[in-house]
Amino acid sequence: MSDNAEIAKTTIDDFREIQKYMVLAKKENATETYAELKEKYISLKALLNVIGVNLTELDKIKE
């Protein structure tokens, strides 16, 4: 696997995981946890945009 493909795969996996935890934090009304997760979410989303990943299907949070 090329370096770019590996970076994309790892970042997509991390992005999905963060979104899963954001949904749980919101459901539990864990506002501080949600805010921390959102910081990571924004960073991962920016990285995915830079490497050209289409987030239409991946982004469940839509923030």
Side-chain angles (χ1 to χ4, degrees), residues 1-59:
M1 187 179 304
S2 73
D3 287 342
N4 287 344
E6 191 168 327
I7 290 168
K9 182 194 177 312
T10 300
T11 307
I12 288 168
D13 290 345
D14 291 348
F15 189 69
R16 286 181 172 154
E17 184 177 20
I18 287 296
Q19 289 188 101
K20 178 178 73 172
Y21 291 130
M22 287 176 76
V23 168
L24 290 172
K26 192 166 213 154
K27 181 179 176 183
E28 294 173 354
N29 202 26
T31 54
E32 289 182 44
T33 301
Y34 187 88
E36 287 297 317
L37 290 167
K38 187 174 177 181
E39 291 294 320
K40 181 70 172 178
Y41 162 84
I42 291 168
S43 297
L44 290 169
K45 189 172 182 176
L47 178 56
L48 289 169
N49 278 318
V50 167
I51 60 177
V53 174
N54 183 343
L55 296 174
T56 304
E57 294 295 320
L58 293 176
D59 193 359

